[in-house]
Amino acid sequence: MSDQSTVFTRLPETDDEREDPERATREEVLDFWTDRFGVPPETFEGYTFWERGAGKLWLYQGTPPSPVDIEGLGMTVLRTRQEHWKPTLEAVQRFGEHASENVIRLDEDAARAFVAGEDQELDWDGDWGYLIVTHDLADEPEPVGVGLYVYGELRSQVPKGRRREV
């Protein structure tokens, strides 16, 4: 079998099934999305969570055999094994519409700056840390990406290759 950086292994469901104490469980991932963003656990029914390398979690709809030695499986969803877990842009764009907490809505100018990768000084009454950033399209909030809010500043976490001038 290949080294662990190329093998996808399904996350254990609970702490009782975990062999590596540093490894996240499905239960912890669901708790993260619920506690941080208010995303209900049932949002992820039918999906399985997989780890490739140390702390890079992927989401897959279905249940392939575990471990799996392939290049990609579903979409990246979360970075763990660091002090603060970080949701990915793809996960926020796919599941952010279900969030009810730690969501910041940007007006058109601020949203343009955000997707271009610009950091902005903004007022925010909520928690510091990673936020789901939205902008209204057709009068509905649409998840744009992940922002890091610290010290009165919203820092765009849009990856350099995905930034756009709009």
Side-chain angles (χ1 to χ4, degrees), residues 15-141:
D15 191 44
D16 292 339
E17 298 173 20
R18 178 177 18 209
E19 294 176 17
D20 178 352
E22 298 295 314
R23 191 156 187 238
T25 65
R26 177 184 178 82
E27 183 176 62
E28 289 172 329
V29 170
L30 296 179
D31 287 349
F32 168 79
W33 283 97
T34 300
D35 295 346
R36 181 72 192 160
F37 300 113
V39 176
E42 55 272 13
T43 303
F44 297 99
E45 282 181 17
Y47 292 93
T48 53
F49 293 97
W50 299 76
E51 184 176 35
R52 178 177 170 197
K56 187 174 184 180
L57 301 190
W58 294 65
L59 181 76
Y60 180 77
Q61 193 166 18
T63 53
S66 175
V68 177
D69 189 8
I70 55 178
E71 289 298 314
L73 181 69
M75 69 179 209
T76 56
V77 68
L78 191 61
R79 303 284 190 275
T80 63
R81 298 200 192 206
Q82 55 194 26
E83 184 178 355
H84 301 288
W85 289 11
K86 180 185 176 206
T88 64
L89 172 75
E90 295 80 10
V92 164
Q93 288 180 339
R94 171 65 182 85
F95 299 103
E97 68 184 66
H98 301 285
S100 60
E101 299 175 33
N102 293 308
V103 177
I104 187 169
R105 278 183 157 163
L106 300 183
D107 65 23
E108 187 171 339
D109 289 340
R112 285 178 193 271
F114 180 82
V115 298
E118 297 176 24
D119 299 338
Q120 310 173 60
E121 289 189 18
L122 295 172
D123 290 328
W124 167 249
D125 296 356
D127 290 345
W128 283 19
Y130 293 112
L131 305 178
I132 293 176
V133 177
T134 67
H135 174 63
D136 286 351
L137 294 174
D139 297 323
E140 292 293 324

Side-chain angles (χ1 to χ4, degrees), residues 6-19:
T6 64
V7 175
F8 285 88
T9 307
R10 189 171 175 170
L11 289 187
E13 291 291 319
T14 64
D15 191 44
D16 292 339
E17 298 173 20
R18 178 177 18 209
E19 294 176 17

